[in-house]
Amino acid sequence: PLVMVSFGTMFSPFETPKVVLLRTVIGLLGMLWVVETALVSRKFPRPRTDAWWSEFLGWLRAEPVRLVFLAAVLFLAANVLSTLWSISLHTSLWGKDPGDDGYGLYTITSYFVLFAVIGTHANTRAKIWRLMGVVVATGTLVSLYGCLQYLGIDPYTWTSDSGTRIISTIGNPV
């Protein structure tokens, strides 16, 4: 929410820089996650083939929060299948406008990687509180910038309607 470029620099000064930065950071997180998984030796239990369903149900019952991960995997799988059988593969893969945030498979996969990295690393109460602190601090900074715009103290000139709309760094008066 804090990333923006000056008005007139590009067609979408709010969304495009955010999408580029988000996808870049998620790509780096994904690569680091793969490297970490390769370096840390974890023994994953292999389910028995004769009782895989009962073991799967036991795995879900052990921690019901795993249903959220299962739902995310199923959502990603549905998007992959939808893209594979799409009439317009390019649009399904990249979205209508690749520079914007949309529902293309690339964006959905990026969000899934972010979800998986956070889900596998925010495993203690302290980490969850730190994550929530970052979300609250970022929202507070965006709101404070909107308050400065309301007061007429804006270092950027975002719109041509003489500052009647408070848009902060989001691009819309939401």
Side-chain angles (χ1 to χ4, degrees), residues 57-122:
L57 290 177
W59 177 75
L60 280 178
R61 285 187 191 112
E63 290 186 43
V65 75
R66 291 177 178 166
L67 284 170
V68 175
F69 179 73
L70 179 63
V73 168
L74 290 175
F75 182 73
L76 180 64
N79 276 277
V80 168
L81 291 175
S82 175
T83 298
L84 291 175
W85 278 280
S86 173
I87 294 172
S88 174
L89 183 65
H90 183 270
T91 303
S92 292
L93 187 60
W94 301 109
K96 184 178 84 170
D97 185 3
D100 287 343
D101 191 26
Y103 297 104
L105 182 63
Y106 180 59
T107 302
I108 298 297
T109 304
S110 295
Y111 286 135
F112 178 79
V113 169
L114 180 63
F115 165 77
V117 169
I118 290 173
T120 56
H121 289 84

Side-chain angles (χ1 to χ4, degrees), residues 118-128:
I118 290 173
T120 56
H121 289 84
N123 51 7
T124 65
R125 186 174 293 273
K127 289 179 182 179
I128 292 171

